[in-house]
Amino acid sequence: MERNILLVFTSPRKNGNTSVIAQAFCDGAQSRGAVVHRIDIGGKPIRGCLECYACCQDHQGCVQKDSLWDIYANFHLYDAVVFAGPVFFGGLPAQMKAFIDRLFSLYPGGGSKDSALLMTAEGGEETGLGGMSNLEAARLGYQTALHYIQWNIQGIVIATHLKSYEDALRCEARREAYELGRRMGG
């Protein structure tokens, strides 16, 4: 049975470093027969969760009818959701965070899904606040959110020290993303 994977691309640069890692994932998944549906939300106006709980009261989904409305309406079609984006100030990019926070409107009843995180960073594991590295903070934010919605994390790939597009083409994380795609693809 072919797997349907939603790739949520959150970088504002459609052809930057993140696109290289995301494409490697897609190539891996497609090599195993999966169908990957990529949506680019990096430049779309997306609001964060209002914490109004209307979705819990009427179970009609989120009251906000923005760019995420159509995506969530078809969410049941996907077996897995993969997030791809750059690390911003030691955390998830705003569009990715808003997308994840708004998943609240799908639960209960949103179903368990497989998921993965693909991120890129110009730097490395520099120490941030409290001794935690900037990249560890991004990983932890993703893992915590998925713990609450009870999704299955299949892998996290973070490509570091990407000063140029050519660096992304040559990095080890590109191979890791491809292999993660193969595992999730079939």
Side-chain angles (χ1 to χ4, degrees):
M1 184 167 105
E2 100 185 355
R3 296 199 74 202
N4 283 307
I5 299 173
L6 177 64
L7 177 79
V8 181
F9 189 82
T10 64
S11 175
R13 293 177 32 213
K14 290 186 181 194
N15 296 310
N17 296 334
T18 304
S19 68
V20 173
I21 304 306
Q23 187 59 53
F25 173 88
C26 292
D27 292 345
Q30 290 166 342
S31 76
R32 296 292 303 268
V35 176
V36 180
H37 308 268
R38 175 178 160 161
I39 57 165
D40 292 6
I41 64 170
K44 293 188 177 179
I46 296 171
R47 296 180 54 189
C49 179
L50 298 174
E51 199 177 4
C52 65
Y53 294 100
C55 59
C56 296
Q57 295 164 4
D58 64 14
H59 303 290
Q60 298 299 312
C62 186
V63 298
Q64 300 184 77
K65 306 300 187 249
D66 61 7
S67 300
L68 296 182
W69 182 255
D70 290 335
I71 298 166
Y72 290 158
N74 295 311
F75 218 62
H76 64 283
L77 301 175
Y78 305 111
D79 303 304
V81 180
V82 177
F83 298 95
V87 174
F88 279 173
F89 292 107
L92 304 174
Q95 290 86 352
M96 185 185 300
K97 181 71 169 104
F99 189 101
I100 291 171
D101 286 350
R102 297 262 303 278
L103 289 173
F104 180 79
S105 68
L106 300 176
Y107 294 89
S112 181
K113 294 195 183 298
D114 289 339
S115 185
L117 177 65
L118 309 171
M119 295 198 83
T120 57
E122 184 176 322
E125 293 277 352
E126 293 86 5
T127 302
L129 293 174
M132 180 183 293
S133 82
N134 292 327
L135 302 181
E136 188 59 29
R139 277 192 283 271
L140 186 59
Y142 167 77
Q143 290 169 322
T144 301
L146 267 54
H147 167 77
Y148 283 112
I149 60 174
Q150 300 178 351
W151 283 9
N152 309 308
I153 298 174
Q154 299 299 310
I156 297 174
V157 175
I158 301 181
T160 60
H161 303 290
L162 302 181
K163 306 284 188 209
S164 69
Y165 186 82
E166 290 73 28
D167 289 345
L169 291 172
R170 292 188 299 264
C171 74
E172 175 63 19
R174 184 174 177 216
R175 185 195 60 75
E176 292 171 17
Y178 180 85
E179 291 303 321
L180 178 58
R182 282 188 53 77
R183 282 197 319 274
M184 291 182 70

Tab-separated table of all heavy atoms in Angstrom, residues 3 5 25 28-29 31-32 114 154-157 175-186:
chain	number	residue	atom	x	y	z
A	3	ARG	N	2.196	4.904	0.681
A	3	ARG	CA	2.060	5.855	1.780
A	3	ARG	C	1.945	7.264	1.224
A	3	ARG	O	2.642	7.618	0.283
A	3	ARG	CB	3.274	5.779	2.700
A	3	ARG	CG	3.365	4.417	3.382
A	3	ARG	CD	4.237	4.438	4.587
A	3	ARG	NE	3.498	5.120	5.656
A	3	ARG	CZ	4.071	5.686	6.697
A	3	ARG	NH1	5.361	5.675	6.833
A	3	ARG	NH2	3.354	6.273	7.617
A	5	ILE	N	2.581	11.047	2.179
A	5	ILE	CA	3.343	11.848	3.130
A	5	ILE	C	3.138	13.320	2.791
A	5	ILE	O	3.284	13.725	1.637
A	5	ILE	CB	4.834	11.491	3.068
A	5	ILE	CG1	5.047	10.016	3.427
A	5	ILE	CG2	5.646	12.401	3.991
A	5	ILE	CD1	6.469	9.518	3.226
A	25	PHE	N	14.945	13.984	1.181
A	25	PHE	CA	13.928	13.187	1.864
A	25	PHE	C	12.890	12.689	0.860
A	25	PHE	O	12.538	11.512	0.841
A	25	PHE	CB	13.251	13.986	2.980
A	25	PHE	CG	12.101	13.236	3.579
A	25	PHE	CD1	12.315	12.358	4.625
A	25	PHE	CD2	10.813	13.356	3.072
A	25	PHE	CE1	11.266	11.616	5.160
A	25	PHE	CE2	9.760	12.628	3.589
A	25	PHE	CZ	9.988	11.756	4.637
A	28	GLY	N	14.118	9.905	-1.328
A	28	GLY	CA	14.176	8.643	-0.599
A	28	GLY	C	12.805	8.012	-0.443
A	28	GLY	O	12.621	6.807	-0.666
A	29	ALA	N	11.815	8.807	-0.049
A	29	ALA	CA	10.462	8.287	0.150
A	29	ALA	C	9.863	7.795	-1.166
A	29	ALA	O	9.246	6.727	-1.224
A	29	ALA	CB	9.576	9.375	0.769
A	31	SER	N	11.464	6.704	-3.715
A	31	SER	CA	12.151	5.491	-4.173
A	31	SER	C	11.515	4.230	-3.597
A	31	SER	O	11.701	3.142	-4.130
A	31	SER	CB	13.641	5.538	-3.796
A	31	SER	OG	13.834	5.260	-2.418
A	32	ARG	N	10.734	4.372	-2.537
A	32	ARG	CA	10.031	3.246	-1.923
A	32	ARG	C	8.545	3.231	-2.274
A	32	ARG	O	7.767	2.482	-1.697
A	32	ARG	CB	10.195	3.307	-0.401
A	32	ARG	CG	11.621	3.161	0.100
A	32	ARG	CD	12.198	1.780	-0.121
A	32	ARG	NE	11.413	0.736	0.478
A	32	ARG	CZ	11.593	0.248	1.695
A	32	ARG	NH1	12.560	0.710	2.458
A	32	ARG	NH2	10.816	-0.701	2.164
A	114	ASP	N	2.807	9.276	11.758
A	114	ASP	CA	4.260	9.307	11.794
A	114	ASP	C	4.702	10.709	11.424
A	114	ASP	O	4.025	11.403	10.667
A	114	ASP	CB	4.850	8.308	10.793
A	114	ASP	CG	4.641	6.869	11.221
A	114	ASP	OD1	4.419	6.620	12.420
A	114	ASP	OD2	4.701	5.985	10.351
A	154	GLN	N	9.686	9.639	13.727
A	154	GLN	CA	10.479	8.664	12.984
A	154	GLN	C	11.928	9.096	12.803
A	154	GLN	O	12.782	8.262	12.495
A	154	GLN	CB	9.846	8.415	11.618
A	154	GLN	CG	8.443	7.859	11.706
A	154	GLN	CD	8.415	6.518	12.409
A	154	GLN	OE1	9.162	5.615	12.086
A	154	GLN	NE2	7.559	6.397	13.412
A	155	GLY	N	12.201	10.370	12.981
A	155	GLY	CA	13.578	10.831	12.843
A	155	GLY	C	13.671	12.345	12.819
A	155	GLY	O	12.690	13.041	12.551
A	156	ILE	N	14.868	12.808	13.137
A	156	ILE	CA	15.183	14.236	13.095
A	156	ILE	C	16.532	14.373	12.397
A	156	ILE	O	17.504	13.725	12.789
A	156	ILE	CB	15.266	14.846	14.509
A	156	ILE	CG1	13.903	14.747	15.212
A	156	ILE	CG2	15.744	16.295	14.447
A	156	ILE	CD1	13.915	15.190	16.661
A	157	VAL	N	16.565	15.183	11.359
A	157	VAL	CA	17.807	15.449	10.634
A	157	VAL	C	18.032	16.955	10.668
A	157	VAL	O	17.162	17.719	10.256
A	157	VAL	CB	17.739	14.959	9.170
A	157	VAL	CG1	18.990	15.363	8.403
A	157	VAL	CG2	17.529	13.454	9.116
A	175	ARG	N	22.355	12.867	2.909
A	175	ARG	CA	22.235	11.406	2.843
A	175	ARG	C	21.314	10.894	3.956
A	175	ARG	O	20.485	10.006	3.740
A	175	ARG	CB	23.609	10.740	2.946
A	175	ARG	CG	23.556	9.215	2.755
A	175	ARG	CD	24.833	8.528	3.201
A	175	ARG	NE	25.146	8.746	4.597
A	175	ARG	CZ	24.511	8.154	5.626
A	175	ARG	NH1	23.512	7.333	5.401
A	175	ARG	NH2	24.864	8.406	6.874
A	176	GLU	N	21.444	11.469	5.153
A	176	GLU	CA	20.587	11.067	6.270
A	176	GLU	C	19.116	11.332	5.952
A	176	GLU	O	18.252	10.517	6.279
A	176	GLU	CB	20.987	11.818	7.534
A	176	GLU	CG	22.351	11.439	8.074
A	176	GLU	CD	22.793	12.359	9.208
A	176	GLU	OE1	21.937	13.070	9.792
A	176	GLU	OE2	24.000	12.379	9.498
A	177	ALA	N	18.831	12.465	5.329
A	177	ALA	CA	17.453	12.798	4.954
A	177	ALA	C	16.929	11.803	3.912
A	177	ALA	O	15.769	11.375	3.978
A	177	ALA	CB	17.375	14.228	4.428
A	178	TYR	N	17.772	11.439	2.958
A	178	TYR	CA	17.375	10.455	1.950
A	178	TYR	C	17.022	9.120	2.621
A	178	TYR	O	15.984	8.510	2.322
A	178	TYR	CB	18.502	10.262	0.929
A	178	TYR	CG	18.174	9.255	-0.145
A	178	TYR	CD1	17.469	9.628	-1.282
A	178	TYR	CD2	18.553	7.924	-0.010
A	178	TYR	CE1	17.156	8.699	-2.261
A	178	TYR	CE2	18.240	6.988	-0.983
A	178	TYR	CZ	17.542	7.377	-2.114
A	178	TYR	OH	17.219	6.449	-3.072
A	179	GLU	N	17.869	8.667	3.529
A	179	GLU	CA	17.634	7.388	4.218
A	179	GLU	C	16.387	7.447	5.092
A	179	GLU	O	15.631	6.478	5.165
A	179	GLU	CB	18.862	6.979	5.041
A	179	GLU	CG	20.062	6.588	4.189
A	179	GLU	CD	19.745	5.460	3.210
A	179	GLU	OE1	19.006	4.508	3.564
A	179	GLU	OE2	20.243	5.532	2.062
A	180	LEU	N	16.144	8.578	5.749
A	180	LEU	CA	14.930	8.744	6.525
A	180	LEU	C	13.706	8.658	5.610
A	180	LEU	O	12.711	8.011	5.942
A	180	LEU	CB	14.961	10.082	7.273
A	180	LEU	CG	13.729	10.443	8.096
A	180	LEU	CD1	13.431	9.391	9.158
A	180	LEU	CD2	13.912	11.818	8.723
A	181	GLY	N	13.793	9.280	4.455
A	181	GLY	CA	12.707	9.183	3.473
A	181	GLY	C	12.459	7.753	3.045
A	181	GLY	O	11.306	7.320	2.925
A	182	ARG	N	13.525	6.993	2.812
A	182	ARG	CA	13.371	5.575	2.440
A	182	ARG	C	12.670	4.791	3.541
A	182	ARG	O	11.776	3.994	3.266
A	182	ARG	CB	14.730	4.947	2.133
A	182	ARG	CG	15.267	5.313	0.769
A	182	ARG	CD	16.529	4.543	0.398
A	182	ARG	NE	16.427	3.098	0.502
A	182	ARG	CZ	15.815	2.299	-0.374
A	182	ARG	NH1	15.233	2.807	-1.442
A	182	ARG	NH2	15.788	0.998	-0.200
A	183	ARG	N	13.067	5.033	4.784
A	183	ARG	CA	12.438	4.306	5.910
A	183	ARG	C	10.956	4.661	6.020
A	183	ARG	O	10.127	3.782	6.259
A	183	ARG	CB	13.146	4.638	7.221
A	183	ARG	CG	14.440	3.918	7.417
A	183	ARG	CD	14.931	3.928	8.852
A	183	ARG	NE	14.779	5.167	9.575
A	183	ARG	CZ	15.645	6.173	9.570
A	183	ARG	NH1	16.740	6.093	8.842
A	183	ARG	NH2	15.427	7.263	10.282
A	184	MET	N	10.650	5.938	5.871
A	184	MET	CA	9.258	6.348	6.027
A	184	MET	C	8.418	6.072	4.783
A	184	MET	O	7.187	6.017	4.867
A	184	MET	CB	9.190	7.843	6.376
A	184	MET	CG	9.708	8.145	7.764
A	184	MET	SD	9.564	9.892	8.200
A	184	MET	CE	7.783	10.064	8.357
A	185	GLY	N	9.072	5.865	3.666
A	185	GLY	CA	8.365	5.677	2.405
A	185	GLY	C	7.792	4.304	2.170
A	185	GLY	O	6.971	4.106	1.273
A	186	GLY	N	8.227	3.341	2.943
A	186	GLY	CA	7.706	2.012	2.647
A	186	GLY	C	8.000	0.967	3.629
A	186	GLY	O	8.529	1.005	4.630
